[in-house]
């Protein structure tokens, strides 16, 4: 992808990576991604973002198709994950007089990525950068999705540069949203991107939407197409997806695996007790319900009970898959417990208990376990255990 003029004096100089299929280890990228970067020209010239280190030379080619590197005065880094900051050190080798602007957290991340001190000016809310006839404003927007995140606002062009915010892993060679042909594919990736990157930070997304200048009619993110025609839609979808309705009653999820019905009997005792206490209870057999439904219920739950037998000194993989699908960012105030029936060694409940505690759930002192078929007393004890977990929920 070559340099693309977006508006007078505003250029896209980023690169496409259409072959990528897994982003950051964990995110599927069916259509690849782009590492976007921008060049704003004037009396002073400023780059906004660099690109993944592997694409540095293509990035430089794009910049130099507009103007020589020696004419670049400034670099603004809105966010410093290495897909954006990976080329900063190499750029400094070519442009040793470049002055960099970032938040305080951004400075730390950038220097940790580059492994060297860099000429960074720390900026705060309301700070500006005068390019001569055009003044850029910095708008810190922390936790979108790192503490270092900020927007850069160009009021003269009504453009907001938002880095990951409102982005998408999608390759549109023209960079213009009006030219997207497969809109269903784009929308699917837009939602996947929100889910993977921003869904753990919903309150911050709502703050970020409020920080974004309302008069912006172009948003330049650092992945995927520039938003103009889809800008209003994208903002509305972020607001809708991030708005959480207050709960009238607490949600409880009892999620279990059971080979012979013993752990199932405990799960049912727990679910009945919590229902009787007025909680909104979802009780799911992992094998019947499947991982997506169990993961969704686990994440929704204020009170989570995870049940498993022990197979060869461990919990079954499927139960671990549920536990590793939990959004660890948002367990504050929630409570969880582990339970299960076992035959001869019984490590699973202790291992799950430890993991739930590591995720920072409020947990009781110990998990609950019985050997083989639960007695009526065991079921009553399970009900008491479930209530003790629910009592820990704030
Ligand atoms: Fe695209 Fe959070 O980096």
């Amino acid at each position: 992808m070559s340099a693309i003029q977006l508006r007078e004096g505003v250029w896209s100089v980023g690169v496409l990576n259409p072959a990528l299929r897994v982003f950051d280890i964990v995110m599927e990228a069916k259509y690849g991604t782009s590492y976007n970067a921008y060049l704003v020209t004037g009396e002073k010239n400023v780059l906004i973002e660099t690109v993944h280190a592997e694409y540095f030379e293509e990035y430089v080619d794009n910049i130099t198709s507009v103007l020589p590197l020696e004419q670049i005065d400034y670099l603004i880094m809105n966010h410093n994950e290495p897909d954006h900051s990976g080329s900063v050190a190499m750029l400094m080798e070519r442009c040793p007089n470049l002055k960099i602007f970032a938040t305080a957290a951004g400075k730390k991340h950038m220097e940790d990525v580059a492994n060297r001190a860099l000429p960074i000016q720390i900026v705060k809310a309301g700070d500006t950068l005068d390019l001569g006839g055009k003044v850029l404003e910095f708008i810190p927007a922390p936790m979108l999705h790192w503490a270092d995140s900020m927007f850069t606002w160009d009021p003269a062009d009504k453009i907001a540069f938002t880095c990951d915010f409102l982005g998408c892993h999608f390759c549109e060679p023209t960079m213009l949203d009006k030219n997207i042909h497969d809109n269903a594919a784009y929308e699917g990736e837009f939602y996947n991107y929100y889910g993977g990157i921003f869904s753990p930070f919903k309150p911050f997304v709502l703050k970020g939407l409020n920080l974004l200048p309302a008069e912006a009619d172009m948003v330049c993110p650092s992945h995927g197409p520039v938003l103009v025609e889809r800008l209003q839609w994208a903002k509305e979808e972020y607001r809708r997806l991030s708005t959480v309705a207050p709960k009238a009653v607490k949600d409880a999820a009892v999620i279990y695996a059971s080979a012979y019905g013993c752990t199932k009997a405990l799960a049912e005792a727990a679910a009945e007790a919590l229902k009787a206490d007025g909680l909104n209870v979802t009780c799911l057999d992992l094998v019947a319900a499947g991982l997506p439904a169990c993961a969704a219920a686990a994440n929704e739950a204020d009170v989570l009970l995870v049940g498993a037998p022990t197979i060869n000194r461990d919990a079954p993989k499927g139960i671990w898959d549920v536990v590793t699908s939990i959004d660890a960012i948002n367990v504050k105030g929630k409570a969880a417990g582990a339970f299960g029936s076992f035959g001869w060694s019984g490590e699973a409940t202790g291992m799950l208990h430890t993991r739930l505690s590591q995720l920072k759930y409020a947990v009781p002192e110990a998990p609950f376990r019985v050997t083989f078929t639960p007695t009526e007393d065991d079921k009553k004890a399970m009900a008491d255990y479930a209530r003790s977990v629910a009592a820990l929920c704030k």
Side-chain angles (χ1 to χ4, degrees):
M1 184 169 71
S2 54
I4 295 167
Q5 186 162 15
L6 299 170
R7 285 195 172 151
E8 184 66 34
V10 181
W11 299 79
S12 162
V13 291
V15 301
L16 299 180
N17 180 2
L20 187 80
R21 288 296 172 268
V22 179
F23 182 86
D24 268 10
I25 310 169
V26 294
M27 280 185 77
E28 185 182 21
K30 283 184 196 157
Y31 306 98
T33 194
S34 59
Y35 307 112
N36 301 350
Y38 302 94
L39 172 62
V40 181
T41 60
E43 288 179 25
K44 298 285 187 180
N45 301 307
V46 59
L47 282 168
I48 300 176
E49 318 294 356
T50 70
V51 297
H52 191 294
E54 290 179 13
Y55 294 83
F56 176 66
E57 292 300 336
E58 189 178 339
Y59 166 67
V60 169
D61 286 347
N62 290 343
I63 298 166
T64 54
S65 72
V66 181
L67 47 72
L69 282 185
E70 307 81 67
Q71 292 184 16
I72 307 290
D73 299 286
Y74 307 126
L75 169 65
I76 295 170
M77 292 298 298
N78 286 321
H79 167 48
N80 291 276
E81 201 165 356
D83 53 328
H84 309 294
S85 64
S87 292
V88 170
M90 288 186 283
L91 186 64
M92 290 307 298
E93 295 297 319
R94 305 269 188 102
C95 307
N97 297 322
L98 209 58
K99 185 173 179 184
I100 306 174
F101 297 84
T103 61
K107 172 177 163 64
K108 178 176 183 343
H109 295 323
M110 207 184 322
E111 292 184 334
D112 285 346
V113 170
N115 269 340
R116 53 169 282 192
L118 293 165
I120 299 170
Q121 180 172 325
I122 292 172
V123 297
K124 301 184 294 300
D127 286 355
T128 57
L129 176 62
D130 191 345
L131 304 181
K134 188 180 282 192
V135 178
L136 303 182
E137 182 182 337
F138 301 111
I139 305 174
M143 302 318 298
L144 294 177
H145 60 125
W146 280 15
D148 68 333
S149 306
M150 70 173 181
F151 306 150
T152 296
W153 169 231
D154 170 2
D157 296 300
K158 297 187 179 177
I159 299 175
F161 299 89
T162 58
C163 203
D164 286 338
F165 195 66
L166 299 169
C168 181
H169 292 314
F170 197 78
C171 291
E172 169 46 53
T174 69
M175 290 300 293
L176 304 176
D177 60 355
K178 70 179 182 184
N179 292 335
I180 296 170
H181 289 287
D182 191 340
N183 282 287
Y186 169 75
E187 288 182 11
E189 292 311 296
F190 177 89
Y191 291 122
N192 285 345
Y193 183 90
Y194 172 89
I197 305 286
F198 288 106
S199 67
F201 303 102
K202 289 175 181 171
F204 296 97
V205 171
L206 296 175
K207 283 183 192 168
L209 288 168
N210 293 336
L211 288 169
L212 201 62
E215 57 269 45
D217 61 14
M218 176 182 281
V219 158
C220 291
S222 288
H223 300 287
V226 166
L227 298 172
V228 176
E229 296 192 356
R230 281 190 167 270
L231 176 55
Q232 190 58 30
W233 170 83
K235 289 196 295 183
E236 286 171 5
E237 286 305 281
Y238 264 43
R239 189 172 295 282
R240 180 181 67 79
L241 294 165
S242 302
T243 302
V244 180
K247 291 180 180 178
V249 294
K250 285 179 177 157
D251 289 311
V254 182
I255 295 167
Y256 66 94
S258 185
Y260 300 110
C262 303
T263 299
K264 179 180 182 181
L266 294 175
E268 289 171 347
E272 281 173 26
L274 295 179
K275 268 183 205 163
D277 286 356
L279 280 78
N280 178 34
V281 180
T282 301
C283 185
L284 297 175
D285 176 335
L286 170 66
V287 173
L291 175 61
C294 291
N299 278 304
E300 189 64 26
D302 305 293
V303 178
L304 173 65
L305 288 159
V306 181
T310 297
I311 298 179
N312 294 337
R313 295 188 168 165
D314 200 349
K317 178 178 178 302
I319 283 292
W320 284 121
D321 289 342
V322 174
V323 174
T324 58
S325 300
I326 289 169
D327 162 17
I329 297 284
N330 285 302
V331 298
K332 191 176 178 187
K334 297 184 174 184
F339 67 95
S341 165
F342 68 101
W344 49 271
S345 64
E347 290 91 341
T349 52
M351 296 166 90
L352 290 167
H353 175 89
T354 299
R355 181 62 184 148
L356 294 169
S357 173
Q358 289 170 335
L359 287 170
K360 309 284 188 203
Y361 280 103
V363 296
E365 277 189 18
F368 180 82
R369 64 179 194 169
V370 302
T371 47
F372 280 121
T373 308
T375 64
E376 289 308 309
D377 284 345
D378 288 336
K379 292 179 194 173
K380 284 180 190 156
M382 179 74 233
D384 289 342
Y385 179 80
R387 290 190 176 106
S388 75
V389 173
L392 296 172
C393 179
K394 296 279 194 303

